[in-house]
Amino acid sequence: MPEHAFDIAAQTYDTDFTDTGIGRYLRGRVWQRLDHLFQPGDTVLEIGCGTGEDAIHLARRGVYIIATDASPEMLNQTEQKAREHRVSELIEVRQLDLSDLPQWDLQVGGAYSNFGAINCTNDWAGLAEFLASVVRPSGSVGLGVMPPFCAWETLWHGLHGDFKTATRRWKGHSWAVLGDGSALDIYYPSVKKIVKDFAPLFTRDYVTGMGTFLPPSDVYGAVENRDKLRRLLTTLEQWFARRLAFCADHYWIEFKLLPQDRESA
Ligand SMILES: C[S@@+](CC[C@H](N)C(=O)[O-])C[C@H]1O[C@@H](n2cnc3c(N)ncnc32)[C@H](O)[C@@H]1O
């Protein structure tokens, strides 16, 4: 019996998503933002690290990562890959469940969470409080989040008569059915909602779309091997992603921690 719903997905996550052409392109755009936010020598917290792709990228640049996830199997994958890439000394793995946020005596330069890990909670105000308790003043937080409307998902599944999938995000909540048949609650905050929930502690710095013209992962097959189409959609993505974050598969949002009275925080 797996300890966490994502333990089974951990085995095939890289084949199903990480190593696809579109997945690699979108992650590359996230890396550009992470490289802008975090510098060699920084210590940075990652929430929902999955198989550790982003942690390894940053560690190879000399950033120290505290990589957390609720799934022990995802953490095992991260540790194993860190060994393979010879960056174990720069990556510390810790179990952290978004539905039971800890109180850690820790100070980091910033934090990030990529590709929808924070869609596994709906307590974003609690997350902001937790992050404010560990991030140093004026530190940055970058989040990759699934919004409540994805144009590709609605159009593709709507045109194929699958209205349940086409509209699954619209109420801000759905269930993902995982490999073992269990259902996981997924919540979809708009940019406005996240900004509001982070507002007393953080100010919004930057937003862009990730997968506005390129499709969500369950539809990669329709585009992945059509070179001309993929190139066209990638170009449109590069031109318009910043203006169309609200209807992308994910948006990438960055915050800065506001100065605060640590005693009363
Ligand atoms: C879609 S994956 C993204 C993984 C990784 N960030 C990436 O970029 O590939 C979502 C991750 O969130 C983790 N997760 C799910 N529920 C969680 C929770 N309640 N607390 C912390 N992590 C959770 C999963 O184990 C999984 O690794």
Side-chain angles (χ1 to χ4, degrees), residues 150-170 215-220 222 249:
C150 166
W152 245 105
E153 188 171 274
T154 298
L155 283 171
W156 178 266
H157 292 292
L159 289 170
H160 286 81
D162 180 358
F163 300 108
K164 196 171 162 214
T165 310
T167 59
R168 73 188 171 121
R169 302 187 190 199
W170 291 9
S217 56
D218 59 334
V219 191
Y220 279 179
D249 184 32

Short mmCIF file of all heavy atoms in Angstrom, two decimals, residues 150-170 215-220 222 249:
data_model
loop_
_atom_site.label_atom_id
_atom_site.label_comp_id
_atom_site.label_asym_id
_atom_site.label_seq_id
_atom_site.Cartn_x
_atom_site.Cartn_y
_atom_site.Cartn_z
N CYS A 150 -8.47 26.59 -18.66
CA CYS A 150 -7.38 26.30 -19.59
C CYS A 150 -8.01 26.19 -20.97
O CYS A 150 -8.81 25.28 -21.22
CB CYS A 150 -6.69 25.00 -19.18
SG CYS A 150 -5.60 24.34 -20.46
N ALA A 151 -7.68 27.15 -21.85
CA ALA A 151 -8.33 27.23 -23.16
C ALA A 151 -8.19 25.91 -23.94
O ALA A 151 -9.15 25.39 -24.49
CB ALA A 151 -7.74 28.40 -23.95
N TRP A 152 -6.96 25.36 -23.95
CA TRP A 152 -6.70 24.11 -24.69
C TRP A 152 -7.59 22.98 -24.19
O TRP A 152 -8.20 22.25 -24.96
CB TRP A 152 -5.25 23.69 -24.50
CG TRP A 152 -4.42 23.71 -25.74
CD1 TRP A 152 -3.49 24.66 -26.05
CD2 TRP A 152 -4.40 22.76 -26.82
NE1 TRP A 152 -2.90 24.35 -27.25
CE2 TRP A 152 -3.45 23.19 -27.75
CE3 TRP A 152 -5.12 21.60 -27.08
CZ2 TRP A 152 -3.17 22.50 -28.92
CZ3 TRP A 152 -4.85 20.90 -28.26
CH2 TRP A 152 -3.88 21.36 -29.16
N GLU A 153 -7.63 22.85 -22.86
CA GLU A 153 -8.38 21.75 -22.26
C GLU A 153 -9.87 21.84 -22.61
O GLU A 153 -10.50 20.86 -22.99
CB GLU A 153 -8.20 21.81 -20.74
CG GLU A 153 -8.76 20.63 -20.00
CD GLU A 153 -8.35 20.68 -18.54
OE1 GLU A 153 -7.26 20.18 -18.23
OE2 GLU A 153 -9.11 21.21 -17.73
N THR A 154 -10.41 23.07 -22.50
CA THR A 154 -11.84 23.26 -22.76
C THR A 154 -12.15 23.01 -24.24
O THR A 154 -13.10 22.30 -24.58
CB THR A 154 -12.25 24.68 -22.34
OG1 THR A 154 -12.03 24.80 -20.94
CG2 THR A 154 -13.72 24.95 -22.65
N LEU A 155 -11.31 23.57 -25.13
CA LEU A 155 -11.57 23.42 -26.56
C LEU A 155 -11.39 21.97 -27.02
O LEU A 155 -12.27 21.40 -27.67
CB LEU A 155 -10.64 24.33 -27.37
CG LEU A 155 -11.03 25.80 -27.38
CD1 LEU A 155 -9.92 26.63 -28.02
CD2 LEU A 155 -12.34 25.99 -28.13
N TRP A 156 -10.26 21.38 -26.64
CA TRP A 156 -9.95 20.03 -27.11
C TRP A 156 -10.99 19.01 -26.64
O TRP A 156 -11.58 18.28 -27.43
CB TRP A 156 -8.55 19.62 -26.65
CG TRP A 156 -8.16 18.23 -27.05
CD1 TRP A 156 -8.32 17.09 -26.30
CD2 TRP A 156 -7.58 17.81 -28.29
NE1 TRP A 156 -7.86 15.99 -26.99
CE2 TRP A 156 -7.40 16.42 -28.22
CE3 TRP A 156 -7.19 18.48 -29.44
CZ2 TRP A 156 -6.84 15.67 -29.25
CZ3 TRP A 156 -6.63 17.74 -30.48
CH2 TRP A 156 -6.48 16.36 -30.38
N HIS A 157 -11.22 18.99 -25.33
CA HIS A 157 -12.14 17.98 -24.79
C HIS A 157 -13.59 18.32 -25.16
O HIS A 157 -14.39 17.42 -25.40
CB HIS A 157 -11.95 17.83 -23.28
CG HIS A 157 -10.61 17.23 -22.94
ND1 HIS A 157 -10.29 15.93 -23.24
CD2 HIS A 157 -9.51 17.77 -22.36
CE1 HIS A 157 -9.04 15.68 -22.86
NE2 HIS A 157 -8.55 16.79 -22.32
N GLY A 158 -13.91 19.63 -25.26
CA GLY A 158 -15.25 20.04 -25.68
C GLY A 158 -15.53 19.54 -27.10
O GLY A 158 -16.56 18.95 -27.38
N LEU A 159 -14.55 19.75 -28.01
CA LEU A 159 -14.73 19.33 -29.41
C LEU A 159 -14.80 17.80 -29.53
O LEU A 159 -15.34 17.28 -30.49
CB LEU A 159 -13.57 19.87 -30.27
CG LEU A 159 -13.61 21.38 -30.52
CD1 LEU A 159 -12.31 21.86 -31.17
CD2 LEU A 159 -14.81 21.76 -31.38
N HIS A 160 -14.22 17.09 -28.54
CA HIS A 160 -14.28 15.62 -28.56
C HIS A 160 -15.47 15.09 -27.74
O HIS A 160 -15.55 13.88 -27.48
CB HIS A 160 -12.96 15.03 -28.04
CG HIS A 160 -11.85 15.16 -29.04
ND1 HIS A 160 -11.12 16.33 -29.20
CD2 HIS A 160 -11.36 14.30 -29.97
CE1 HIS A 160 -10.23 16.17 -30.17
NE2 HIS A 160 -10.36 14.96 -30.65
N GLY A 161 -16.36 16.00 -27.35
CA GLY A 161 -17.59 15.58 -26.66
C GLY A 161 -17.40 15.18 -25.21
O GLY A 161 -18.31 14.66 -24.57
N ASP A 162 -16.19 15.42 -24.65
CA ASP A 162 -15.94 15.06 -23.25
C ASP A 162 -16.10 16.33 -22.40
O ASP A 162 -15.13 16.97 -22.01
CB ASP A 162 -14.51 14.48 -23.12
CG ASP A 162 -14.17 14.09 -21.70
OD1 ASP A 162 -15.02 14.29 -20.80
OD2 ASP A 162 -13.05 13.60 -21.48
N PHE A 163 -17.37 16.67 -22.13
CA PHE A 163 -17.65 17.94 -21.45
C PHE A 163 -17.24 17.91 -19.97
O PHE A 163 -16.95 18.95 -19.39
CB PHE A 163 -19.12 18.32 -21.62
CG PHE A 163 -19.47 18.48 -23.08
CD1 PHE A 163 -20.27 17.55 -23.73
CD2 PHE A 163 -18.96 19.55 -23.82
CE1 PHE A 163 -20.55 17.67 -25.08
CE2 PHE A 163 -19.23 19.68 -25.17
CZ PHE A 163 -20.03 18.74 -25.80
N LYS A 164 -17.19 16.71 -19.41
CA LYS A 164 -16.78 16.61 -18.01
C LYS A 164 -15.33 17.09 -17.85
O LYS A 164 -15.01 17.90 -16.98
CB LYS A 164 -16.92 15.15 -17.56
CG LYS A 164 -16.90 15.00 -16.08
CD LYS A 164 -17.27 13.58 -15.67
CE LYS A 164 -16.82 13.35 -14.25
NZ LYS A 164 -16.38 12.01 -14.00
N THR A 165 -14.44 16.57 -18.75
CA THR A 165 -13.03 17.00 -18.67
C THR A 165 -12.89 18.44 -19.14
O THR A 165 -12.12 19.21 -18.56
CB THR A 165 -12.15 16.06 -19.53
OG1 THR A 165 -12.43 14.71 -19.18
CG2 THR A 165 -10.67 16.33 -19.30
N ALA A 166 -13.68 18.82 -20.17
CA ALA A 166 -13.58 20.19 -20.72
C ALA A 166 -13.86 21.24 -19.64
O ALA A 166 -13.29 22.33 -19.67
CB ALA A 166 -14.56 20.36 -21.88
N THR A 167 -14.74 20.91 -18.69
CA THR A 167 -15.17 21.92 -17.70
C THR A 167 -14.68 21.60 -16.29
O THR A 167 -15.10 22.23 -15.34
CB THR A 167 -16.71 22.00 -17.68
OG1 THR A 167 -17.22 20.70 -17.33
CG2 THR A 167 -17.28 22.42 -19.02
N ARG A 168 -13.77 20.62 -16.16
CA ARG A 168 -13.45 20.10 -14.82
C ARG A 168 -12.87 21.15 -13.87
O ARG A 168 -13.04 21.07 -12.66
CB ARG A 168 -12.54 18.88 -14.89
CG ARG A 168 -11.11 19.20 -15.27
CD ARG A 168 -10.25 18.00 -15.54
NE ARG A 168 -9.00 18.47 -16.10
CZ ARG A 168 -7.81 18.26 -15.56
NH1 ARG A 168 -7.71 17.54 -14.48
NH2 ARG A 168 -6.72 18.73 -16.14
N ARG A 169 -12.21 22.19 -14.42
CA ARG A 169 -11.58 23.17 -13.53
C ARG A 169 -12.52 24.31 -13.13
O ARG A 169 -12.20 25.09 -12.24
CB ARG A 169 -10.40 23.85 -14.23
CG ARG A 169 -9.33 22.92 -14.70
CD ARG A 169 -8.15 23.73 -15.22
NE ARG A 169 -7.18 22.90 -15.91
CZ ARG A 169 -5.92 23.26 -16.14
NH1 ARG A 169 -5.49 24.45 -15.77
NH2 ARG A 169 -5.10 22.45 -16.77
N TRP A 170 -13.63 24.44 -13.86
CA TRP A 170 -14.40 25.67 -13.78
C TRP A 170 -14.89 26.02 -12.39
O TRP A 170 -15.04 27.18 -12.05
CB TRP A 170 -15.58 25.63 -14.75
CG TRP A 170 -15.17 25.68 -16.19
CD1 TRP A 170 -13.90 25.57 -16.68
CD2 TRP A 170 -16.01 25.83 -17.32
NE1 TRP A 170 -13.91 25.64 -18.05
CE2 TRP A 170 -15.20 25.81 -18.48
CE3 TRP A 170 -17.39 25.97 -17.49
CZ2 TRP A 170 -15.71 25.93 -19.77
CZ3 TRP A 170 -17.91 26.09 -18.77
CH2 TRP A 170 -17.07 26.08 -19.90
N PRO A 215 -0.30 22.49 -25.60
CA PRO A 215 -1.40 21.81 -24.88
C PRO A 215 -0.99 21.29 -23.51
O PRO A 215 0.19 21.16 -23.21
CB PRO A 215 -1.72 20.64 -25.82
CG PRO A 215 -0.43 20.34 -26.48
CD PRO A 215 0.28 21.64 -26.66
N PRO A 216 -1.99 20.94 -22.68
CA PRO A 216 -1.70 20.27 -21.42
C PRO A 216 -1.19 18.84 -21.66
O PRO A 216 -1.37 18.30 -22.75
CB PRO A 216 -3.06 20.25 -20.70
CG PRO A 216 -4.09 20.63 -21.69
CD PRO A 216 -3.42 21.21 -22.89
N SER A 217 -0.58 18.24 -20.64
CA SER A 217 0.17 17.00 -20.85
C SER A 217 -0.68 15.84 -21.39
O SER A 217 -0.18 15.01 -22.13
CB SER A 217 0.90 16.59 -19.57
OG SER A 217 -0.01 16.47 -18.53
N ASP A 218 -1.98 15.81 -21.06
CA ASP A 218 -2.78 14.68 -21.57
C ASP A 218 -3.07 14.82 -23.08
O ASP A 218 -3.59 13.89 -23.69
CB ASP A 218 -4.09 14.53 -20.78
CG ASP A 218 -4.98 15.76 -20.84
OD1 ASP A 218 -4.44 16.88 -21.02
OD2 ASP A 218 -6.20 15.63 -20.70
N VAL A 219 -2.70 15.97 -23.66
CA VAL A 219 -2.93 16.17 -25.10
C VAL A 219 -1.59 16.37 -25.85
O VAL A 219 -1.57 16.69 -27.02
CB VAL A 219 -3.88 17.38 -25.35
CG1 VAL A 219 -4.34 17.43 -26.80
CG2 VAL A 219 -5.11 17.31 -24.45
N TYR A 220 -0.46 16.18 -25.15
CA TYR A 220 0.85 16.35 -25.81
C TYR A 220 0.91 15.56 -27.12
O TYR A 220 1.47 16.01 -28.11
CB TYR A 220 1.99 15.87 -24.92
CG TYR A 220 2.44 16.84 -23.84
CD1 TYR A 220 3.47 16.49 -22.96
CD2 TYR A 220 1.86 18.10 -23.69
CE1 TYR A 220 3.88 17.35 -21.96
CE2 TYR A 220 2.28 18.96 -22.69
CZ TYR A 220 3.28 18.58 -21.83
OH TYR A 220 3.70 19.42 -20.85
N ALA A 222 -1.07 15.05 -29.44
CA ALA A 222 -1.64 15.69 -30.63
C ALA A 222 -0.66 16.66 -31.28
O ALA A 222 -0.83 17.04 -32.44
CB ALA A 222 -2.93 16.43 -30.24
N ASP A 249 -2.40 26.32 -19.29
CA ASP A 249 -2.49 25.11 -18.46
C ASP A 249 -1.95 25.40 -17.06
O ASP A 249 -2.50 24.96 -16.05
CB ASP A 249 -1.68 24.00 -19.14
CG ASP A 249 -1.79 22.68 -18.41
OD1 ASP A 249 -2.85 22.41 -17.81
OD2 ASP A 249 -0.81 21.90 -18.43
#
